[in-house]
Amino acid sequence: MQFQWSQLVFLIAGSRSIAALQQQHIGTDDLKAKCSAFSGELQIPDATVYLSEVVAAGTNLSLPDYNVTCGNPYQIVPKEICRLSLYVATSNRSGINMEAWLPFEWTGRFLSVGNGGLAGCIGYNDIAYGSSLGFASVGANNGHNGTSGGAFYNNADVLEDFAYRSVHTGVVVGKQITEAFYGSSHKKSYYLGCSTGGRQGFKSAQDFPDDFDGIVAGAPAIAFNNLTSWSGHFYPITGPVNSSTFVPQNLWPVIHADVLERCDALDNFVDGILEDASLCNYTASNLLCGSNSNASACLTEEQVNTVNQIYAPLLASDGSLIYPRMQPGSEILASRILYGGAVFPYTTDWFRYAVYNDINWDPTKINNTDYETAARTNPFNIQTWEGDLSAVQKRGAKILHWHGQMDAIISSDNSPRYYEHVSETMGLSSADLDDFYRYFRVGGTGHCSGGDGAWAIGQNLNAFDSLAPGENILMAIVDWVENGNAPDTLIGTKWNNGTQSAGVDYKRAHCKYPLRNRFKGEGDAKDIEAWECVE
Ligand SMILES: *[C@@H]1O[C@H](CO)[C@@H](O)[C@H](O)[C@H]1NC(C)=O
Ligand SMILES: *[C@@H]1O[C@H](CO)[C@@H](O)[C@H](O)[C@H]1NC(C)=O
Ligand SMILES: *[C@@H]1O[C@H](CO)[C@@H](O)[C@H](O)[C@H]1NC(C)=O
Ligand SMILES: *[C@@H]1O[C@H](CO)[C@@H](O)[C@H](O)[C@H]1NC(C)=O
Ligand SMILES: *[C@@H]1O[C@H](CO)[C@@H](O)[C@H](O)[C@H]1NC(C)=O
Ligand SMILES: *[C@@H]1O[C@H](CO)[C@@H](O)[C@H](O)[C@H]1NC(C)=O
Ligand SMILES: *[C@@H]1O[C@H](CO)[C@@H](O)[C@H](O)[C@H]1NC(C)=O
Ligand SMILES: *[C@@H]1O[C@H](CO)[C@@H](O)[C@H](O)[C@H]1NC(C)=O
Ligand SMILES: *[C@@H]1O[C@H](CO)[C@@H](O)[C@H](O)[C@H]1NC(C)=O
Ligand SMILES: *[C@@H]1O[C@H](CO)[C@@H](O)[C@H](O)[C@H]1NC(C)=O
């Protein structure tokens, strides 16, 4: 399988059993009539409304202007909505394109979704998800169109939109639209995002604590400059394809098998899944070719060294940590992306267009000078590493943070690092943090979705088996915010062959940090009850 760059765009990222916050007072027919005339009536400073239209449930909506690098130019609309498309200027040389999808069966809830990578791509799939569950849902294009960071070049305002202003502007405007459309303001406000979207969720928590009552932040791209350095540091380690340091694709399944051999049993059950990858200290020394080795299943000394460097943290020249190591377990997919013998496009773009504003910067020579410059430059505080979440805590807002344990793009070792940073900064124990901030390790899960295990936790439209809060992270944050039911686990679904249509294979409860998931030692491992969260 060839990895598609367009997949990175989706690095993003309700229940009828939870009663709607308010019954709607305006009839659906009135809202439909209002929708058609809405673009002409709406008065929002700096905004130009392009269209407002009723879109019927089941419509395959054509998106002819969606940038070709963003993915499919269409979206299935699960439930009938009033669709708004608009532009909002953020400066005299920047602005966001955004959409508001307003369901006629409104729960009184507002939802903003995030973006992925460096991309400027509206998260249509996510606003389809939110609106189908009764949220008035908005998504913005992050201030530019397409997956490249080229738009940052010579325009710090576009960069500022990317760092924080696109989501915040979309929320401010989106709440005004919601109130104008329904004739009453939203009752609770939510955020859903993964990857860059996870970073945007934490940016909101850190700098715009009034924007949301509940935030779901998956696989967050926090410590963003350092992450981007780390993503770029693999190329100098592997070298180009066919160099003596390069580890070819066919050897990575062998390395993966060795990782499992060494670490799969640490959770007390051998099933190809590391429930807590942070426990696995991996080196490839066992695979060094000897005189009797199978030549297609062993590594040269240089290749062993490459693998060991991949699984070592990235350090600055003074020895301080820039970014944690890649967690073992994700190597089969990562070998096609980060270890594929090519520079990482987002790193190239970030240094060329954001850090140096120099289109001639050479990503093949990336080194500590670059890493340290990026961390120091930190455009618009994109690092997103503030440890003080007291404003969120005081408001009573809630954060659900999660990270897949076989993430091939953003190391899951970075997430507990942030959690501990918050704990230390605020002087709060895990028990204290539990009141407003909970972090979950999601075993067998790749970057935002996919993976070998029970990865479907309700993180997007194509990733849930149930809308019950215990099994659906969006409904879980709603249940926590509105009913005070804080989740202790997130139940994920593993589908047969990884495909929903093939039916459920098993479900597994993912544990709240710092607890970790462990097989009890007896019973059927596909049974949720056969596992427990332990110290
Ligand atoms: C939606 O339309 C596009 C073409 O515009 C088509 O490729 C796609 O298969 C359609 N999707 C469905 C589910 O009908
Ligand atoms: C981005 O795409 C939208 C259509 O989705 C278009 O209206 C807008 O002009 C584009 N913006 C830029 C800066 O190219
Ligand atoms: C754009 O706004 C900036 C201030 O944000 C101002 O310095 C600049 O002169 C303006 N440029 C134009 C062309 O209006
Ligand atoms: C689409 O995105 C690519 C990559 O970000 C960009 O180079 C191109 O200009 C965009 N096209 C349009 C029409 O905006
Ligand atoms: C690597 O070597 C193989 C076999 O010699 C060759 O087919 C391939 O083109 C080479 N790839 C690169 C990128 O040089
Ligand atoms: C991994 O390394 C850490 C730190 O050296 C050590 O505390 C831990 O016991 C090791 N884990 C395993 C499974 O060997
Ligand atoms: C050598 O290793 C390869 C890759 O793991 C495997 O397919 C093959 O069967 C092995 N050959 C022998 C003789 O063990
Ligand atoms: C290290 O990076 C700096 C800044 O990009 C560059 O000027 C320098 O040439 C690089 N050093 C090496 C040895 O490649
Ligand atoms: C980022 O890297 C710099 C070294 O360049 C280090 O000083 C800093 O602590 C790192 N920040 C985070 C959040 O990891
Ligand atoms: C499993 O999924 C793959 C695509 O991911 C498909 O090609 C294959 O037919 C599926 N197998 C079964 C038994 O469903």
Side-chain angles (χ1 to χ4, degrees), residues 79 86 98 117 119 251 346 385 417 422 424 439 444 493 534:
K79 275 222 167 173
L86 61 156
M98 65 178 279
L251 283 174
Y346 289 156
W385 198 256
R417 186 167 80 100
V422 174
E424 276 164 35
Y439 165 56
T493 297
V534 299

Side-chain angles (χ1 to χ4, degrees), residues 240-427:
V241 177
N242 290 347
S243 57
S244 59
T245 47
F246 184 73
V247 180
Q249 293 262 307
N250 65 297
L251 283 174
W252 285 101
V254 174
I255 297 164
H256 183 60
D258 192 43
V259 166
L260 295 180
E261 177 79 32
R262 303 251 215 114
C263 296
D264 193 357
L266 293 173
D267 56 25
N268 208 25
F269 192 73
V270 175
D271 59 354
I273 288 163
L274 309 183
E275 290 293 336
D276 177 3
S278 72
L279 290 177
C280 183
N281 302 326
Y282 182 71
T283 67
S285 51
N286 280 1
L287 296 176
L288 182 64
C289 297
S291 49
N292 292 323
S293 306
N294 176 347
S296 51
C298 71
L299 274 61
T300 66
E301 216 170 301
E302 278 184 288
Q303 289 170 333
V304 167
N305 186 39
T306 295
V307 174
N308 292 350
Q309 282 185 264
I310 283 172
Y311 292 114
L314 179 61
L315 303 179
S317 39
D318 66 0
S320 64
L321 182 71
I322 295 175
Y323 199 79
R325 58 145 201 185
M326 176 60 105
Q327 86 287 334
S330 62
E331 42 280 335
I332 291 183
L333 184 54
S335 71
R336 301 190 194 104
I337 309 169
L338 296 169
Y339 328 147
V343 297
F344 189 68
Y346 289 156
T347 301
T348 306
D349 284 8
W350 185 249
F351 280 92
R352 283 188 179 165
Y353 308 128
V355 176
Y356 291 124
N357 211 43
D358 172 6
I359 56 171
N360 294 316
W361 177 77
D362 182 355
T364 67
K365 299 201 161 60
I366 193 168
N367 62 60
N368 276 83
T369 306
D370 300 305
Y371 311 149
E372 288 160 30
T373 303
R376 202 170 48 245
T377 310
N378 186 20
F380 301 102
N381 195 17
I382 194 159
Q383 201 77 299
T384 315
W385 198 256
E386 305 304 324
D388 181 2
L389 299 179
S390 55
V392 162
Q393 180 192 28
K394 286 202 189 83
R395 281 193 69 234
K398 311 295 182 195
I399 302 169
L400 283 180
H401 171 184
W402 68 276
H403 208 134
Q405 296 294 297
M406 54 181 302
D407 191 320
I409 308 267
I410 296 181
S411 174
S412 61
D413 279 14
N414 197 51
S415 273
R417 186 167 80 100
Y418 179 71
Y419 181 95
E420 296 299 344
H421 175 54
V422 174
S423 171
E424 276 164 35
T425 305
M426 297 182 72

Side-chain angles (χ1 to χ4, degrees), residues 197-269:
R199 185 192 67 77
Q200 291 166 319
F202 276 111
K203 177 57 83 179
S204 299
Q206 293 168 16
D207 292 356
F208 302 99
D210 291 334
D211 279 1
F212 301 111
D213 300 299
I215 292 172
V216 175
I222 50 180
F224 183 85
N225 301 287
N226 296 22
L227 162 65
T228 308
S229 295
W230 175 80
S231 313
H233 98 295
F234 293 105
Y235 178 79
I237 292 174
T238 63
V241 177
N242 290 347
S243 57
S244 59
T245 47
F246 184 73
V247 180
Q249 293 262 307
N250 65 297
L251 283 174
W252 285 101
V254 174
I255 297 164
H256 183 60
D258 192 43
V259 166
L260 295 180
E261 177 79 32
R262 303 251 215 114
C263 296
D264 193 357
L266 293 173
D267 56 25
N268 208 25
F269 192 73

Side-chain angles (χ1 to χ4, degrees), residues 12-30:
I12 316 276
S15 171
R16 286 160 202 103
S17 68
I18 296 184
L21 279 175
Q22 62 164 40
Q23 293 305 313
Q24 65 189 66
H25 300 298
I26 309 176
T28 298
D29 289 346
D30 294 336

Side-chain angles (χ1 to χ4, degrees), residues 50 65 97 145:
Y50 294 136
D65 295 332
N97 280 86
N145 291 334

